[in-house]
Amino acid sequence: MISILSFGPDEGLREGHAPADLPALLGRADRVVWVDLASPSRAETAILTDVFHFHPLAVEDCTAPRQNPKVEDFKDYLFLLTHGVHPDASVREFKTRPLSLFVGRTYLVSFHREPSRSVQHAMESARHNPKVMSDGPDSILYNVLDYQVDQYLPVLANFEKKIDDVEGRIFTAPTEAVLAEVMDFKKALMRLRRISGHQRDTLLRLVRREFAVIDEKAIFGLRDVADHLVRITDLSDTYREQVSDALAAHLSIVSNRTNEIMRVLTVIATVFIPLTFIVGVYGMNFDHMPELHWRYGYLGVWIVMILVVAAMAWYFRRRGLLGGRW
Amino acid sequence: MISILSFGPDEGLREGHAPADLPALLGRADRVVWVDLASPSRAETAILTDVFHFHPLAVEDCTAPRQNPKVEDFKDYLFLLTHGVHPDASVREFKTRPLSLFVGRTYLVSFHREPSRSVQHAMESARHNPKVMSDGPDSILYNVLDYQVDQYLPVLANFEKKIDDVEGRIFTAPTEAVLAEVMDFKKALMRLRRISGHQRDTLLRLVRREFAVIDEKAIFGLRDVADHLVRITDLSDTYREQVSDALAAHLSIVSNRTNEIMRVLTVIATVFIPLTFIVGVYGMNFDHMPELHWRYGYLGVWIVMILVVAAMAWYFRRRGLLGGRW
Amino acid sequence: MISILSFGPDEGLREGHAPADLPALLGRADRVVWVDLASPSRAETAILTDVFHFHPLAVEDCTAPRQNPKVEDFKDYLFLLTHGVHPDASVREFKTRPLSLFVGRTYLVSFHREPSRSVQHAMESARHNPKVMSDGPDSILYNVLDYQVDQYLPVLANFEKKIDDVEGRIFTAPTEAVLAEVMDFKKALMRLRRISGHQRDTLLRLVRREFAVIDEKAIFGLRDVADHLVRITDLSDTYREQVSDALAAHLSIVSNRTNEIMRVLTVIATVFIPLTFIVGVYGMNFDHMPELHWRYGYLGVWIVMILVVAAMAWYFRRRGLLGGRW
Amino acid sequence: MISILSFGPDEGLREGHAPADLPALLGRADRVVWVDLASPSRAETAILTDVFHFHPLAVEDCTAPRQNPKVEDFKDYLFLLTHGVHPDASVREFKTRPLSLFVGRTYLVSFHREPSRSVQHAMESARHNPKVMSDGPDSILYNVLDYQVDQYLPVLANFEKKIDDVEGRIFTAPTEAVLAEVMDFKKALMRLRRISGHQRDTLLRLVRREFAVIDEKAIFGLRDVADHLVRITDLSDTYREQVSDALAAHLSIVSNRTNEIMRVLTVIATVFIPLTFIVGVYGMNFDHMPELHWRYGYLGVWIVMILVVAAMAWYFRRRGLLGGRW
Amino acid sequence: MISILSFGPDEGLREGHAPADLPALLGRADRVVWVDLASPSRAETAILTDVFHFHPLAVEDCTAPRQNPKVEDFKDYLFLLTHGVHPDASVREFKTRPLSLFVGRTYLVSFHREPSRSVQHAMESARHNPKVMSDGPDSILYNVLDYQVDQYLPVLANFEKKIDDVEGRIFTAPTEAVLAEVMDFKKALMRLRRISGHQRDTLLRLVRREFAVIDEKAIFGLRDVADHLVRITDLSDTYREQVSDALAAHLSIVSNRTNEIMRVLTVIATVFIPLTFIVGVYGMNFDHMPELHWRYGYLGVWIVMILVVAAMAWYFRRRGLLGGRW
C-alpha cells in the first residue's frame, strides 16, 4: 500500500496523492513529500526505480531479509536501513523488523514489509503538527527514528525483569529448564546487541554532519536518538555479561548441592558400614567363636559400636564434615 | 525549589533573587548567575524553556530517569548530564543520582530531582570564597564536579573491603549465600563501570578544549576530575575481574571439598564392603560348609580380613588416596 | 587453462583469444580484457610475469597455499587475494578456496587453482550482459566478488541450523560425541571468522576510494559486498560465542545429571544402610541376646525400622533432597 | 628533608644550598637546579607553592595516596606522577611507591614520601658524572626514570619464578592453599598491570615530542624507558592469563582426582554389593530352603559368585572403567 | 666474529675486509657495506660505538637478553630488534633468538649472539645474486627478514599438528599429563603471540613509508614479510583459543566420565542394597518370626525381590538412568 503526504507553504498538508502525481510533486522545490510503502506490491515497489531512480542495490536491500542496520550516501539521497522492535516482543523469540528509509532534499521514502508503528506514529504526528513536515525530510526522519528507538525501552525493561527472575530461580531450583532459558536469553541478547550496535553506529554517522541532507537543526534530535542507542547497546552488553555469570553460577550451585548430598551419604555410609561389618562378624556360624558364648558378649559389641560411632562423630566434626549447614 | 545566586564585580555575591529577576540578571554581561533547581515543581521547571530557551530535548533529558552521563554542545551553552553517588551507598543496592548542568557564558543552571550534596557543597564554597563565582560558570562547574567525584572514593573503598571479605568467606564457607552476594557485587560493579566510564568520557571531552564556554583556567581542575574518573573506571574493571575470579574459585573450592568427602567415603567403603562380604559368607546356613567346623576357622577369617585391610592400605597409600590432608 | 575475453566499443564482446594476442589487446586503451587462469600450467602462469610484468611477490602469493585475504596497491594495478567457499562446504571440514585477482586500468586477471564458481558465474554474466565488461575491470571485479560473497550465505545458514541442532542435543543427550562436534564447530567458526574478517577489511579498503583503479560507480556495488562481509563476520562472532556457551552448558548439564543420580543413590543408601545394620544386629549368634526371645521382638524391630524410615523421609523432605524433580 | 643540587657551566656541581637560595638559583638561566623533597615536612612542602608557584592541584596530587601514573602539562613545567617498586617486593603484598616530578626549563623537583632508590641513584650519578645535570632537567628525569624502571625487572623475574612454582604445585597437590595463592597472584598482577599500563602511557606521551621541556636528545633515553614499560605491561598480561589458566587447571585436576576416586569406589562396590546380597540369601533362616541341604550348595554359591565377578570384570574392561591408570 | 661484505658498481662484491678498512668503506657513497657481528667479542662489539657511533642505548639493546621486537629511528640510521625461531623448535621449550639490525643509507650492520640462519642465508644470496646488495641496505634487510619469517612457518605447522594430537588425546584419555601439555602449549603460544605481534607492528611501521632509509622498491618486499607476520599472529590467536577450549573440554569430559561411573554405581547399589536388607531381615534369629515357618516363605521372598528389581528397572528407565549409552 502506498500513502503519499505532501506539504507546501501555501497549501499545507495534503494527503491521498496517487503515485502518478509523484513526478509533479517532486518537481517542486517548495514541497516536502513523504511516500510510505507498506508491504508494497511488486508494481508499487517499482516506483523506487522508475520514479525515484534509486540505486538498484539500495532497492534490493529494502527487500533483503536479514541485513544489518546501515546508512549509505548516494550523493542526492541517503539510504538508511534500520530495525524496529515490537514492544511486546517475547524474549525467547526476540525479532526485529526492518524499515528502510530514503532521505532526499525534498522527500522521504519509507519502505517496510510488515506494519511499522514508528511510521504510523510519525504520520499521526505529521497530521496534527505541520512542523513535522515543514521542517523537511530530516525532521520526518527524526520523528520516525525517535519513536522507533522508544519501542526498544519496554523490551529492555522486560529483559531486565526476566533476567532477575531467572537469576532468582537459579538459586531456588537450578534445573536444566532454567539453563535452557538462560541460553535462549543469551541468544536474544546477542541479536539485540548486534542490531543495536549497528543502528547506533548508523545514527552516530548521521549526527557527525557527514551528510548534506541532514540539517543542523535535525542533528540535535538525532543525537538524542543516538544517545538512546548507546544506552541500549551498553545495557545489552551488561545483560549479556549478567547472563554469562548466571550460567557460571548455575554450575557452582549444582556443584554445591552435589557436595551437600555427598556429605549426607558419606556420613551415613561411613558410620553404618563398619557397624554392619561388626554385626556381620557375630552372625558367622563357626563352631568355635568364643565371644558368642561370653556372658556380656552382646553388651560388649554394643559398647564397641557406640565407641566407633563416637570416634567417627569426633573425626567428622574435626574435619568440618558436619559443620556448615549440616 | 529554586535558588538563585549572582555575582558582580561591583556588588559581590547576592542571593535570594526571585525567578522573575532572571531575565534582567542574565542580560548583564558582567554578572555570573547560578540557578539551582532542586526537585523543582512543574512551574519552576518551565523557566528552562521560557527564560533560558534551552533545547526541549535537553530539558527532557533532565527529567528522564536513566540516561547515561553525557555532554552536549548547543553552541550558546553546554548541557551536561552527570551521576553522583551517595557515599553511604550500600553495595547490594548501588544507585546513582543524576544531576543535570547547563553551562552558559554567564550562567550555570543545575537541576536535580533528589537532594545533591555536590551542589550544596559548591554553594557553600561560593558563599565563603568569592573566587568560585567570579571565575565564571566553568569554575562553579569544576567545584560541583570535583565534589561529586570525591563522593565516589568512599564507595570504592567500601567495595574493596567487601570484596576482600567475600573472598575470605569463599575459602572458609563456600555457601550459596556467598555466591548470591558475589553475583550482586558483579551487578553493582557493572553499573558503576558503565556510569563512571561515560562520566569519564564526558570529562575527557570537556578538557579537550572542545567547548568554547570552558576556559583555559578551568581545564586544569577538570583534568583532575577526569583523572579521578579514569582511576574509578580502572578500579571497577579490576574489581569486576576479581569478582569473576571469586566465582571461579568458589567452584574450585566446592569441587575440592567434594573430592575430600569422596575420599573419606571411598576409603571406608572399599575397606569394609569386602570385609562384610567375607563375614557374610560364613553367615550362610549351608549344611555342608567345612570351614565352619575347622578348629581355627574363625581365627583364619580374622587373619584373612587383616591381610585384606593391609593390602588395601598399601594400595591406597601408593595411589595417594590417603596422602594430602587425609 | 587460460580464457581470454575482450570488449571494445566497436567490436563488442569477443572470446577465444590466444595468449599470444594479449600484448596487442592490452596495448589498446579502448578495450577491456579479462584473462582467467584456471588451474594454469607452469607455462600459462608465466604470462603473469612475462606479459603483465606483475611483481614477483604478488605472483608468488597466487600460488601460496594459505595466505589471508588482502589487497595490495602496485600503482598500475591492484592485487587482491580473496577466499571463496563451496556452498555445500560441510561444517566439519570447512575449507575456503583462494582466488587471486589483478585489476588494472583496462584489464582484470583472475587466477585460481581450483574451479571457481564466482569466476564462472561472472563470465556467464559478461556473455549475456555487455555492461559487465564495458563498465571496466572494476565492474568485472564487483561481479566476481558479489557472487563470491553470496556463496557464504548458505554456508552460514547451514552453520546456524547445525548449531541449533547441537544445542538441542546437548540438552537431550550430553555425550562426548556432541562435545567433539562442538569443538569442530568452534574450529570451523574461528577459521571462517579469520578469513571473513580479512576479506571484510580488504573490501572496506577498496570502497574507501583509496585506489585509483576503482571507479566511483563501482564503489556502490563493492560497498554492498563489504556490508555482506561485515554481516558474515558479525555472525561468525555470534556463533562462536553461542558455541562457547554450548560448551559451558554441556558441563552444567552433565553436573546436573550427576547431581540427580547422586540424589537417588543417597536416598536409597541412607535409608537402607541403617536398616541393614539393624537386621544385622539380630542376625548375630550370641548366646545371650534377650531381645531375640521377646514375644514381640520381631514386631518391635519392624516398628523401629519404620520409625527410622519415617524420620529420614521427614529429614530429606525438609532438606529438599526429595524436592524438585525427585 | 630537602636536598638542592645546582650545576652551572662556570661553577660545576654544587650541593647544600639552603631553600632560601632557591629564588636566586632559579633566576639564572644558565644554572640547572634539582630540588629533592624526601618525606618533607609541611613547611618544606610549602616551597612548591611559595617558590615554584606550582598549580595547587598538582601539589595536591603529590600527597594523594593512590593516584595512577600520569603526566600533565602546565605550560611552564611538566608534572609527572610515577610509581616505583621495591625490588624485593613480595608477590603477596605487592606495593608501589609514588614519586612525583616537576620538570621545568632549568629545574627538576622530585617529591616522595618514602625513600626513593631511583632518586638516590640518580643523585649519585649526578655527583660522579657532570653530564647528568649539564644536559638539563630532562636528562635528570631520564636518569631517575631509567633506574626506576630497572627496579621492576627483578620483581617480574620473581613473579615468573613463583608462577612456575605454583603451577607445579597445582599438579602435585591441588589444595585450597594453592588456590588462595593463585588468587593473591592475580590481584598483584592486576595491580602491576594497571600501574605499569598508565606509566607506559605516560612515557609514550613524553617521547611523542608533545612537551616543550623535553629535548630531542632526551627522547632517545626516554624511548628506551618506554620500551621497558611496554614489555612489563605485556608480561603482566601474559602472567595474568597464565594465572587464570592455572585457576582453570586446578578445577580440572580436582575433578580428575574425584573421577579416579569414584572409579575405585565404583569398582569395589559394584563387585561386592551383589556378592554380599548372594551370601545374605543363604544366611536366611527359612525352614524350607532346599539349596541349603544340597550336597554341593556351598560350592555352587562360590561358583556363581566367581562367575558374577568375571562378568563384571569383563564389563568394566569393555567400558574402560579399569582402563587408564587403574 | 666479524664478516664484512662490500659492493660497488665498479668492483662488484668483495669480501674479507678487515674491521680497520671500515671507515674508508663507509666514506664512499657508492659502496654498499654489510657488517655482520656473529657472537662478537667485546672488542668487536666496540666498533658499533667507535666506528658507527651508534647510540649507546641501541648498542645496549643488542646485548639485552629479552627485549621485544621494535624499530627505532635515529635519523641517520634505523635500529631494528627482531626475533627469529629455530625451525625445529620444540613446542615445550619454545624459544626465539634475537637479531639486531642497524640500517643506514649505505650500510647494514647485523648483530647476533647465537648463529643466525637468516643472516647466513641472506649472505649466501648476496654472494650468488649481486642485486641483493646493489639495491642497497634495505634490500639486504628484506632478504634477512624474509628468510627469518619463513622459519616461523614450520614451527606453526608443528604447533597445529601437536594441538590436533592433544585434542584427540583429551577425548581418548583425559589424564593430567595431557592437561600439563595443554598448559605448556598455552605458554608457548602466548610467547609466540607476544613476539610475533611486536614483530608485525615493527614491520608495519617499516612499510608505512615512515623511515627515509627504506626505499619505495623495498616496501613491496617488506609488505610481504608483514603479511606473513599478520598471519602468524592471527594463527597464534586462533591456536590459543583452541587450546583454551581444549582446557574446557577436558573438564567436561572428565565430568562426563564421572557421571557415567556414578550411574553404574547408583544402578548397582540401589538395586542390591534394598535386596540385601530384605535377606537380612530373614537372617534374624528371633524366636517368633512366623514367615520363617511358612511353606512358601522362601519362594515369597524371591518373588518380592524380583518385584522390587522390576519396579526399580521401570523407574530407572523412566528417569533415563539406563538410557543413553548404558
Side-chain angles (χ1 to χ4, degrees), chain B residues 50-120:
Chain B
D50 300 345
V51 179
F52 288 98
H53 308 294
F54 291 142
H55 196 283
L57 285 167
V59 174
E60 207 183 295
D61 280 340
C62 287
T63 60
R66 303 205 304 183
Q67 276 280 19
N68 284 333
K70 64 175 175 181
V71 56
E72 281 187 30
D73 192 359
F74 289 93
K75 297 268 138 77
D76 297 329
Y77 57 93
L78 280 185
F79 170 65
L80 267 105
L81 183 56
T82 66
H83 281 248
V85 287
H86 194 283
D88 309 330
S90 103
V91 171
R92 282 202 70 150
E93 301 169 43
F94 177 72
K95 279 210 182 90
T96 56
R97 295 197 291 204
L99 166 66
S100 302
L101 298 155
F102 297 85
V103 191
R105 281 267 159 215
T106 64
Y107 62 84
L108 178 131
V109 179
S110 50
F111 182 106
H112 45 102
R113 292 221 161 276
E114 290 165 283
S116 165
R117 286 185 169 222
S118 326
V119 165
Q120 219 175 305

Side-chain angles (χ1 to χ4, degrees), chain B residues 111-291:
Chain B
F111 182 106
H112 45 102
R113 292 221 161 276
E114 290 165 283
S116 165
R117 286 185 169 222
S118 326
V119 165
Q120 219 175 305
H121 185 266
M123 218 170 255
E124 219 47 58
S125 304
R127 283 189 190 111
H128 294 104
N129 179 0
K131 267 188 72 64
V132 170
M133 282 194 71
S134 66
D135 280 4
D138 46 4
S139 157
I140 310 176
L141 177 70
Y142 160 65
N143 272 276
V144 171
L145 295 181
D146 185 42
Y147 192 75
Q148 190 187 52
V149 84
D150 278 359
Q151 307 286 87
Y152 277 93
L153 301 182
V155 172
L156 280 173
N158 192 16
F159 265 91
E160 190 165 1
K161 219 184 63 205
K162 288 260 171 99
I163 289 172
D164 282 352
D165 168 58
V166 155
E167 270 186 1
R169 274 193 291 143
I170 277 177
F171 280 92
T172 53
T175 60
E176 287 176 24
V178 178
L179 206 62
E181 253 181 85
V182 167
M183 301 280 286
D184 282 341
F185 260 129
K186 190 76 184 284
K187 251 185 279 183
L189 282 166
M190 286 193 287
R191 193 170 164 73
L192 174 61
R193 176 62 181 75
R194 188 153 50 78
I195 295 295
S196 63
H198 284 286
Q199 198 131 330
R200 179 199 57 190
D201 297 345
T202 300
L203 262 293
L204 289 175
R205 284 189 63 196
L206 284 184
V207 301
R208 240 184 279 132
R209 298 177 174 81
E210 209 177 297
F211 306 111
V213 301
I214 306 290
D215 253 26
E216 191 61 26
K217 223 169 15 172
I219 296 278
F220 293 125
L222 292 172
R223 210 159 56 179
D224 194 67
V225 175
D227 281 341
H228 274 93
L229 283 164
V230 166
R231 198 175 126 74
I232 290 165
T233 314
D234 269 22
L235 281 179
S236 38
D237 273 336
T238 303
Y239 292 163
R240 217 166 60 169
E241 197 169 337
Q242 226 171 306
V243 160
S244 292
D245 288 343
L247 198 62
H250 186 277
L251 181 59
S252 280
I253 291 168
V254 166
S255 296
N256 215 42
R257 303 240 160 139
T258 302
N259 178 281
E260 295 185 357
I261 292 166
M262 295 315 297
R263 256 144 89 172
V264 176
L265 177 60
T266 299
V267 166
I268 295 287
T270 52
V271 165
F272 283 102
I273 284 177
L275 299 186
T276 302
F277 161 71
I278 292 169
V279 301
V281 165
Y282 297 104
M284 290 194 292
N285 300 318
F286 283 101
D287 291 353
H288 306 281
M289 290 183 64
E291 299 97 314

Side-chain angles (χ1 to χ4, degrees), chain D residues 103-122:
Chain D
V103 192
R105 281 267 159 217
T106 62
Y107 63 84
L108 179 130
V109 179
S110 50
F111 182 106
H112 45 100
R113 291 222 162 276
E114 289 164 285
S116 165
R117 285 184 170 224
S118 326
V119 165
Q120 219 176 305
H121 185 266

